Amino acid sequence: MGAMAVSSVSVAARNLGAVIDDASRGPVHLTRRGRPVAAVIAVRDLDRLQRLAEDMTDILDAEAARHEMRETGVEPLLWERVRADLGLR
């Protein structure tokens, strides 16, 4: 992601094409009465952020599971045992 651009919502509305072009180079932060209210980002950046958020959710879930196992003393099951218990090869 490139450098951040800032625009008021009213200016951005009048220049949507330029805002979209700017967003291809980096996020465009939109302000209303001088306060940040939204951002326009390229789809490739949104896709990347969503993948990273999903990865982080998985990491946090795994950490929580490990913490719970430490707290309860439960041992993880080996995949081979799970497969055998379910009758899978």
Side-chain angles (χ1 to χ4, degrees):
M1 290 185 231
M4 177 184 68
V6 178
S7 176
S8 69
V9 171
S10 58
V11 170
R14 288 192 305 270
N15 300 295
L16 184 57
V19 169
I20 292 169
D21 290 342
D22 288 347
S24 71
R25 292 184 289 280
V28 178
H29 290 233
L30 303 180
T31 62
R32 183 175 284 140
R33 295 183 195 94
R35 294 192 174 145
V37 293
V40 179
I41 63 172
V43 170
R44 71 176 182 279
D45 294 336
L46 175 62
D47 291 342
R48 182 170 184 256
L49 288 170
Q50 287 176 319
R51 282 192 311 273
L52 290 170
E54 290 168 4
D55 291 347
M56 183 54 67
T57 297
D58 292 343
I59 290 167
L60 293 173
D61 287 346
E63 286 178 358
R66 284 192 294 275
H67 175 76
E68 181 179 338
M69 288 187 322
R70 280 192 302 273
E71 292 292 314
T72 62
V74 173
E75 292 291 323
L77 296 174
L78 296 176
W79 175 239
E80 290 79 16
R81 179 174 172 194
V82 173
R83 284 190 353 206
D85 288 350
L86 295 174
L88 303 174
R89 294 186 196 216

